[in-house]
Amino acid sequence: MSLVQVRGLAKRYGDSTVFEQVSLTVAPGEFVAIVGESGVGKSTLLNCLAGLDDWDRGTVSLGGVDIGALDETGRALLRREQTGFVFQAFHVLPHLDVAQNVGLPLLLLGRPDAARVAAMLDAVGLAGLGGRLPQQLSGGQLQRVAIARALVHRPALLLADEPTGNLDPGTAARILDLLLAQTRDHGSALVLVTHSEAAAARADRVLHLTAEGIRA
């Protein structure tokens, strides 16, 4: 059974078409990499899968729920429960320390768990840095904070936008191992947008996005 189902998705900005006729499915425990030229809409597609962006035609469903039929509150609640998102821009909250940023999904779900937060920070190589503020970290460290936050509540769907883009090769491989462990151990589906050949090579499937659609 598919966790994610996208049918005939089209996105436009004014008179400009970003993409059209995008259809794909992702099963629980599957790792799908999406590649394509810069500006073709890979990040926009991830935002649609999360219900963060609207689209002009087609349907997106997560766990059998039609995201397009939900209002903003419904989409937010579905995201909170079902998805973890690693953004290119990190989107950490500057007034919260590292541990608070990572633990935010658990707090919003009413399941605060300091031990899990600490274990997650250790897993991404940030043990002992939980009390630091984001402005005290490097770009690579902020990337790992964002990854830990996306994983901490064990979501059904992981969406990752260039998650290793700010990391050295060794750390990038470690982070990919961690993302893959989430799919293997918890049955999460992972959809990753990347320009990295090394990251795409580890996927179960690689899909190529163009303005005309998506293909294997």
Side-chain angles (χ1 to χ4, degrees):
M1 180 180 177
S2 297
L3 177 70
V4 178
Q5 290 188 323
V6 179
R7 293 284 180 268
L9 202 68
K11 174 67 178 177
R12 297 183 183 88
Y13 288 118
D15 295 330
S16 176
T17 297
V18 181
F19 52 72
E20 59 185 355
Q21 292 302 320
V22 170
S23 296
L24 64 99
T25 61
V26 187
E30 186 177 22
F31 172 15
V32 174
I34 298 176
V35 300
E37 298 295 328
S38 295
V40 78
K42 300 185 298 298
S43 297
T44 300
L45 178 57
L46 282 193
N47 285 339
C48 290
L49 296 184
L52 290 167
D53 207 345
D54 291 317
W55 50 92
D56 295 282
R57 189 172 64 251
T59 60
V60 179
S61 66
L62 172 59
V65 177
D66 182 354
I67 295 176
L70 300 176
D71 61 15
E72 287 301 318
T73 299
R75 291 187 186 192
L77 291 173
L78 184 66
R79 271 195 306 275
R80 185 182 300 177
E81 286 280 353
Q82 298 291 328
T83 67
F85 205 128
V86 183
F87 299 91
Q88 278 195 61
F90 313 138
H91 291 311
V92 297
L93 299 179
H95 59 286
L96 299 182
D97 65 28
V98 166
Q100 289 169 330
N101 267 285
V102 172
L104 189 58
L106 293 171
L107 186 65
L108 291 173
L109 290 168
R111 304 198 305 261
D113 190 334
R116 188 185 293 184
V117 170
M120 207 68 251
L121 287 173
D122 183 54
V124 298
L126 296 177
L129 300 184
R132 292 195 182 182
L133 292 172
Q135 56 266 36
Q136 297 174 295
L137 302 184
S138 68
Q141 289 172 323
L142 288 171
Q143 185 90 35
R144 284 180 276 165
V145 172
I147 290 165
R149 181 184 58 194
L151 293 173
V152 72
H153 59 304
R154 297 172 182 164
L157 174 63
L158 279 166
L159 301 169
D161 195 352
E162 295 284 5
T164 59
N166 290 286
L167 306 177
D168 63 83
T171 304
R174 177 180 178 180
I175 292 302
L176 277 174
D177 287 341
L178 187 61
L179 292 171
L180 288 170
Q182 185 83 2
T183 67
R184 181 178 62 249
D185 298 340
H186 303 294
S188 301
L190 170 61
V191 180
L192 182 148
V193 159
T194 187
H195 286 105
S196 167
E197 293 182 2
R202 301 185 65 178
D204 298 312
R205 285 188 292 142
V206 178
L207 301 178
H208 298 259
L209 182 64
T210 69
E212 290 75 36
I214 200 164
R215 58 179 174 79

